[in-house]
Amino acid sequence: MQTKILSTSDEDIKYAGGVIRSGGLVGFPTETVYGLGANALDGEAVRKIFAAKGRPADNPLIVHISRFEQWQSLVTEIPEKAERLAEKFWPGPLTVILRKKDIVPYTTSGGLDTVAVRMPSDETARRLIDAAGVPIAAPSANTSGKPSPTSAKHVFDDMNGKIEAIIDGGKCGVGVESTVVTLVSDVPTLLRPGGVTPEMLEEVLGEINIDEAVYSKLRDGVKATSPGMKYKHYSPRASVVLLKGEFDKFKEYISSHADENTVALVFDGEENGLGVKAIAYGRQDDSLSQAQKLFAALRAVDELGADKAYVRYPNREGVGLAVYNRLIRAAAFEVIEL
Ligand code: TXA
Ligand code: MG
């Protein structure tokens, strides 16, 4: 199939909405990463998302809405805590999990009785949902396992020929996927860190739990609360290793361990004098700038044909927790203390 590149004009958005309504797939921008959308209420359409991405069928999708009323049609009950979250953070990079109504097919929920819902703040995303006239199920628009796409080109590189259309809405503002929180458990639990930080959630909810899979590898035999956390993620072909310690030690380590197939992922301004190719992934003291550049940097590792990438260890405060969470998965949890 020929994948059309669309603009954000009214005409193109209307066309894309028609594609979704008639059971097709559209790549579209959001404020976090690009999504791969289908009609969330059409199990057949949603199945095509799993096929295009090579995604395991038990990994549930996030349903995107543009109006509050749509939420009520998807979940059995909206508890007060959920309402408070929506009031504070929607539209925006927060996904909330509640019990699903029958109208949500099990294909969308990955076989679970719950459904993840988010109202994106990106204008184009909301215009698309309006044009489609249905809630849109959308995972990140990358091939399963690869770094998430933060530009239309990334989506094209992974999905060309597999989907009907891609809306080019420029680069994504946040750069990492939404914060996922479940309100199905007794205490609200953070399943995936993102642009909305644990501190911001606690201001609205009081105490929250942070799922142990946020920081570390799921232990053998432990069932994943969020199925997505059990799969290898965000990885370039090259093997990724996080190096924890000061920049001087990082340089020393690189000079004794690197060869011509090694690249370094460093903070802005540290690229020169390392003796290997280097890619910057944001300012050292600015987690949001790291979030914005991280996935493009991981894709660039492969574009350079590297087989090993040594990465500066990020600060885990605030949005930094999301950066760290993606990086340790890209590194298959390999961290070396310098
Ligand atoms: O920012 C985002 O959230 C992007 C954009 C496109 O909106 N979407 C995204 O979707 O990152 P995806 O499919 O790549 O990640 C969804 C995550 C997965 O880890 C999945 O397991 C989890 O959310 N998830 C979805 N529904 C769930 C549910 N009912 N229970 C537990 N985890 C769920
Ligand atoms: Mg994803």
Side-chain angles (χ1 to χ4, degrees):
M1 126 183 15
Q2 179 88 18
T3 301
K4 275 200 178 128
I5 306 295
L6 303 174
S7 74
T8 57
S9 69
D10 286 344
E11 195 188 344
D12 280 9
I13 298 277
K14 194 172 161 212
Y15 173 83
V19 170
I20 299 267
R21 237 192 347 270
S22 59
L25 304 185
V26 176
F28 66 98
T30 83
E31 72 278 21
T32 58
V33 301
Y34 272 72
L36 179 56
N39 178 353
L41 307 181
D42 176 351
E44 273 315 305
V46 167
R47 221 181 301 280
K48 295 181 197 163
I49 293 180
F50 288 89
K53 279 180 63 86
R55 180 177 175 110
D58 70 348
N59 193 0
L61 306 179
I62 295 171
V63 178
H64 298 67
I65 59 173
S66 55
R67 295 160 198 284
F68 283 92
E69 310 86 78
Q70 288 174 310
W71 201 14
Q72 288 155 1
S73 73
L74 298 170
V75 300
T76 55
E77 189 201 352
I78 299 176
E80 198 228 319
K81 281 183 177 163
E83 243 167 59
R84 288 211 302 263
L85 282 177
E87 202 161 293
K88 180 88 180 175
F89 299 114
W90 279 1
L94 178 72
T95 295
V96 179
I97 296 173
L98 290 170
R99 294 207 182 281
K100 79 173 191 70
K101 277 190 177 154
D102 290 342
I103 191 176
V104 179
Y106 279 109
T107 324
T108 300
S109 73
L112 300 174
D113 291 319
T114 56
V115 63
V117 179
R118 130 170 155 86
M119 187 190 290
S121 62
D122 184 273
E123 273 285 317
T124 305
R126 290 218 308 280
R127 284 167 65 212
L128 175 65
I129 302 164
D130 282 343
V134 290
I136 295 182
S140 48
N142 51 292
T143 300
S144 232
K146 289 235 285 180
S148 298
T150 50
S151 71
K153 171 164 191 309
H154 295 160
V155 181
F156 186 81
D157 289 346
D158 284 14
M159 293 297 154
N160 182 26
K162 297 181 174 175
I163 65 178
E164 276 78 0
I166 299 168
I167 301 173
D168 187 346
K171 288 214 166 74
C172 302
V174 179
V176 292
E177 304 89 337
S178 62
T179 302
V180 178
V181 61
T182 178
L183 295 180
V184 172
S185 51
D186 291 339
V187 181
T189 301
L190 175 71
L191 300 181
R192 182 177 73 181
V196 174
T197 65
E199 297 75 27
M200 289 159 78
L201 289 174
E202 273 176 343
E203 260 176 43
V204 176
L205 295 173
E207 207 197 331
I208 61 165
N209 281 336
I210 297 186
D211 199 279
E212 62 175 306
V214 166
Y215 290 102
S216 49
K217 193 172 175 167
L218 218 55
R219 281 168 292 140
D220 287 344
V222 174
K223 190 169 178 288
T225 321
S226 182
M229 293 191 295
K230 71 186 177 198
Y231 297 109
K232 188 160 189 243
H233 251 136
Y234 313 117
S235 343
R237 275 188 309 275
S239 72
V240 175
V241 181
L242 277 171
L243 300 184
K244 188 175 181 186
E246 297 302 314
F247 186 49
D248 280 349
K249 295 217 167 126
F250 183 87
K251 279 202 285 201
E252 245 176 71
Y253 189 91
I254 295 265
S255 63
S256 54
H257 289 78
D259 60 31
E260 70 278 8
N261 295 319
T262 306
V263 298
L265 245 70
V266 295
F267 299 124
D268 294 357
E270 295 176 343
E271 300 94 320
N272 297 320
L274 287 165
V276 296
K277 284 183 197 145
I279 303 162
Y281 81 92
R283 290 188 294 278
Q284 178 161 20
D285 60 357
D286 181 354
S287 298
L288 186 57
S289 87
Q290 294 165 24
Q292 285 164 346
K293 287 171 84 172
L294 179 66
F295 286 136
L298 288 172
R299 281 178 180 254
V301 169
D302 278 347
E303 282 153 22
L304 289 175
D307 60 22
K308 188 106 183 173
Y310 289 118
V311 185
R312 293 273 276 139
Y313 191 88
N315 181 330
R316 305 196 306 188
E317 300 294 308
V319 179
L321 182 60
V323 173
Y324 166 80
N325 170 271
R326 306 313 188 267
L327 269 173
I328 48 164
R329 283 175 168 72
F333 300 93
E334 199 180 344
V335 179
I336 295 175
E337 304 250 357
L338 300 174

